[in-house]
Amino acid sequence: MSSVQLKDYIQEKADLIAERLARYMDTDGIPETLRQAMRYSLLAGGKRLRPVLVLATLEAFGNPIATGVPVGCAVEMIHTYSLIHDDLPAMDNDDFRRGKPTNHKVYGEAMAILAGDALLTQAFETVCEAEAAGAPAVSVLKIVRELASYAGARGMVGGQCADMEGENTQLTLAQLKYIHQHKTADLLVFCVRAGAILANADERQLALLTRYANNIGLAFQIQDDILDVTGDFAKIGKPVGSDEQRHKSTYPSLIGMEESRELLHQLVAEANQALTEAELVNDSILRALAAFIIERDY
Amino acid sequence: MSSVQLKDYIQEKADLIAERLARYMDTDGIPETLRQAMRYSLLAGGKRLRPVLVLATLEAFGNPIATGVPVGCAVEMIHTYSLIHDDLPAMDNDDFRRGKPTNHKVYGEAMAILAGDALLTQAFETVCEAEAAGAPAVSVLKIVRELASYAGARGMVGGQCADMEGENTQLTLAQLKYIHQHKTADLLVFCVRAGAILANADERQLALLTRYANNIGLAFQIQDDILDVTGDFAKIGKPVGSDEQRHKSTYPSLIGMEESRELLHQLVAEANQALTEAELVNDSILRALAAFIIERDY
């Protein structure tokens, strides 16, 4: 699959997810300011890479994507809540996200906290809709459990905590890897595993796809570190050089730019090796996504 | 059931839940500060009224309580996260809760936000354990969906938002009822419904128990309003008169103390009527809980 074809694929799926997310937000029974605050960040664009991973994994098994759409929307709600809370004054204190003022800049701190809480909670209601879309209750329940696990204290929130505690200190590579693993990779691992569970993958395939996702997840975050040095505000939607300004340890700061780039290619090679061993019906999109992650400039 | 017997019942169940919650918090894989912050608020005591409602409903149907224990723990995690976030400087800015310094006073704002996020997320992992305890996946999934719905933007978070927006303004009784319904009653309704779902209640019983829970939920919050005027710091664990100081509308401020007390008795009578119609195996504990809610002094 060419990178042009992949971009079309991502765009098509991102549009589908955005349309569905907008429908989830166009609803009665929520206080209007809260609904607006949730909607503002959830529909602020973004690559929708996480939902795309869910859908691409289903397709790699030759499955239809219907059951993956609510799961993808749920993970996008989780991702969005984590950005809203990360940006708060008590946390990273960021004013811009995806080129727009952050949630608390528009709606105030209290509402931003509540909007994050509400999106996190709604994710678990949304994921349950996979059952109505045709997935067995046992599979959906397994996905609920994994979403909570990968997004929680042992996963994404734990990574965010370690990240915060590590600011203004010189981290070891092992500490930085822990942060990247949990803060970023865990949710990507969830996406691939959820797609595989919906596709009735066996345990061996599930383990191999977890390896694939761990590798691209770490690569994704290293590429983020690199873009923070070399990127373009207009493309990445936030100030360049903010990691350095905050004295944050990054892969380029710890092992240098050249070695970081080399590591990226190793990680993608390992991801592709896992795909080969998993013997899927058609792994071309998953391969193209791995390549895209390290080639992207936004 | 006498009020002494009920207190013993509540104590016994509260101890069981506290012991199980402590086990959930005694675990590897969570950054230590985060684990301590979660543990601090989750094990700070409290009546554990919500889990007790889950277990008492199961018993009212003549069922064993095993499947209700993880559900009760989950709802206590949700309740605790909501208190941590409510107490934040950007929200109610409270320094004390249950007679102890609030979470952010001990661990800082950023960690308090993360501890709340982590508890909210872990609730959904915990509720899934009802399946391992013997509940069918279909029932557990229904409970996951209801937990997210009653705790989210249409439920508890929505109530919290309306409460915040209503501060320093004179509310109508309808607005105050909306806040009490969602901020407080919704989670109690969830507890009773979850117990009933685990006990395989039919739709008619589920509707009647929802009516029971809505009535005691509203009564619970009105009693809270009353205790804020007449209570004792040592017993309620927070300063007396804080609602008035914040110019918050309450039932006593809107309809007077006498009428508030009368309304309490009406609500309990309606709750009991719903129980009678539900024709349960043994509703004595649920009746005693309704009476306890309006008689309590803490």
Side-chain angles (χ1 to χ4, degrees), chain B residues 47 49-50 79 184-185 188 214-225 227 264 267 292-294 296 298:
Chain B
K47 291 177 289 294
L49 182 69
R50 289 158 192 81
H79 176 55
T184 306
L188 302 183
N214 267 316
N215 281 298
I216 65 165
L218 185 53
F220 183 86
Q221 188 57 49
I222 295 174
Q223 180 65 4
D224 243 31
D225 285 359
L227 285 174
L264 279 184
L267 290 166
F292 165 75
I293 277 172
I294 65 168
R296 71 200 166 92
Y298 65 99

Side-chain angles (χ1 to χ4, degrees), chain B residues 46-102:
Chain B
K47 291 177 289 294
R48 311 297 187 192
L49 182 69
R50 289 158 192 81
V52 169
L53 268 174
V54 179
L55 304 181
T57 304
L58 267 165
E59 295 198 311
F61 282 87
N63 274 59
I65 61 167
T67 55
V69 173
V71 176
C73 288
V75 83
E76 200 64 12
M77 291 175 189
I78 299 262
H79 176 55
T80 302
Y81 114 76
S82 77
L83 301 180
I84 296 174
H85 282 189
D86 278 12
D87 288 337
L88 285 168
M91 309 277 285
D92 282 356
N93 195 21
D94 274 316
D95 293 350
F96 286 95
R97 166 74 67 181
R98 291 170 180 162
K100 294 171 63 178
T102 45

Side-chain angles (χ1 to χ4, degrees), chain A residues 27-29 31 33 81 85 90-91 110 114 117 120-121 124-125 128 131 141 145 148 154 157-158 160 164-165, chain B residues 27-29 31 33 81 85 90-91 109-110 114 117 120-121 124-125 131 141 144-145 148 154 158 160 164-165:
Chain A
T27 176
D28 291 336
T33 324
Y81 113 77
H85 282 188
M91 309 277 285
L114 292 177
D117 292 345
L120 168 52
T121 311
F124 287 97
E125 196 177 351
C128 289
E131 192 192 16
L141 202 58
R145 196 181 299 120
R154 267 178 211 79
V157 177
Q160 172 61 18
M164 199 183 70
E165 295 194 308
Chain B
T27 176
D28 291 336
T33 324
Y81 114 76
H85 282 189
M91 309 277 285
E109 269 184 70
L114 291 176
D117 292 344
L120 168 53
T121 311
F124 287 97
E125 195 177 352
E131 191 192 16
L141 201 58
V144 168
R145 195 180 301 120
R154 265 178 212 80
Q160 173 60 20
M164 198 183 71
E165 295 194 307

Side-chain angles (χ1 to χ4, degrees), chain B residues 249-268:
Chain B
S249 299
T250 63
Y251 268 79
S253 76
L254 284 186
I255 63 174
M257 189 60 86
E258 271 324 290
E259 214 173 313
S260 296
R261 289 205 164 110
E262 200 172 300
L263 180 57
L264 279 184
H265 289 279
Q266 271 175 35
L267 290 166
V268 169

Side-chain angles (χ1 to χ4, degrees), chain A residues 205-227:
Chain A
Q205 289 176 313
L206 206 51
L208 286 164
L209 282 167
T210 304
R211 216 170 84 200
Y212 161 81
N214 267 315
N215 281 298
I216 65 165
L218 185 53
F220 182 86
Q221 188 56 50
I222 295 174
Q223 180 66 5
D224 243 30
D225 285 359
I226 292 173
L227 285 174

Side-chain angles (χ1 to χ4, degrees), chain B residues 92-221:
Chain B
D92 282 356
N93 195 21
D94 274 316
D95 293 350
F96 286 95
R97 166 74 67 181
R98 291 170 180 162
K100 294 171 63 178
T102 45
N103 199 288
H104 65 272
K105 280 293 187 185
V106 179
Y107 296 97
E109 269 184 70
M111 195 58 74
I113 293 168
L114 291 176
D117 292 344
L119 285 168
L120 168 53
T121 311
Q122 190 162 340
F124 287 97
E125 195 177 352
T126 305
V127 82
C128 290
E129 294 194 13
E131 191 192 16
V138 173
S139 304
V140 181
L141 201 58
K142 185 172 163 69
I143 290 171
V144 168
R145 195 180 301 120
E146 296 217 350
L147 181 56
S149 174
Y150 282 109
R154 265 178 212 80
M156 188 184 72
V157 176
Q160 173 60 20
C161 169
D163 188 28
M164 198 183 71
E165 295 194 307
E167 269 191 31
N168 296 311
T169 53
Q170 178 72 40
L171 298 180
T172 65
L173 197 58
Q175 288 171 320
L176 184 62
K177 195 176 166 185
Y178 177 93
I179 292 169
H180 283 2
Q181 173 67 49
H182 293 294
K183 191 175 172 178
T184 306
D186 276 356
L187 214 52
L188 302 183
V189 170
F190 164 78
C191 292
V192 171
R193 287 180 62 91
I197 291 166
L198 289 171
N200 280 313
D202 61 36
E203 282 304 316
R204 193 183 134 272
Q205 289 176 314
L206 205 52
L208 286 164
L209 282 166
T210 303
R211 216 170 84 200
Y212 162 81
N214 267 316
N215 281 298
I216 65 165
L218 185 53
F220 183 86
Q221 188 57 49

Side-chain angles (χ1 to χ4, degrees), chain A residues 65-230:
Chain A
I65 61 167
T67 56
V69 174
V71 176
C73 288
V75 82
E76 200 65 12
M77 290 175 189
I78 299 261
H79 176 55
T80 302
Y81 113 77
S82 78
L83 301 180
I84 296 174
H85 282 188
D86 278 12
D87 288 337
L88 285 167
M91 309 277 285
D92 283 355
N93 195 20
D94 275 315
D95 293 349
F96 285 96
R97 165 75 67 182
R98 292 170 179 162
K100 293 171 63 178
T102 45
N103 199 287
H104 65 272
K105 281 291 185 186
V106 179
Y107 296 96
E109 270 184 70
M111 196 57 75
I113 293 169
L114 292 177
D117 292 345
L119 285 168
L120 168 52
T121 311
Q122 190 162 342
F124 287 97
E125 196 177 351
T126 304
V127 82
C128 289
E129 294 193 14
E131 192 192 16
V138 173
S139 303
V140 181
L141 202 58
K142 185 173 164 68
I143 290 171
V144 168
R145 196 181 299 120
E146 296 217 351
L147 181 57
S149 174
Y150 282 109
R154 267 178 211 79
M156 188 185 70
V157 177
Q160 172 61 18
C161 170
D163 187 29
M164 199 183 70
E165 295 194 308
E167 270 191 31
N168 296 311
T169 55
Q170 177 71 40
L171 299 180
T172 65
L173 197 58
Q175 288 171 320
L176 184 61
K177 195 176 167 185
Y178 177 94
I179 292 169
H180 283 3
Q181 172 68 48
H182 294 294
K183 191 174 171 179
T184 306
D186 276 357
L187 214 52
L188 302 183
V189 170
F190 164 78
C191 291
V192 172
R193 286 180 63 91
I197 291 166
L198 289 172
N200 281 313
D202 60 37
E203 282 305 316
R204 193 183 135 271
Q205 289 176 313
L206 206 51
L208 286 164
L209 282 167
T210 304
R211 216 170 84 200
Y212 161 81
N214 267 315
N215 281 298
I216 65 165
L218 185 53
F220 182 86
Q221 188 56 50
I222 295 174
Q223 180 66 5
D224 243 30
D225 285 359
I226 292 173
L227 285 174
D228 192 77
V229 182
T230 67

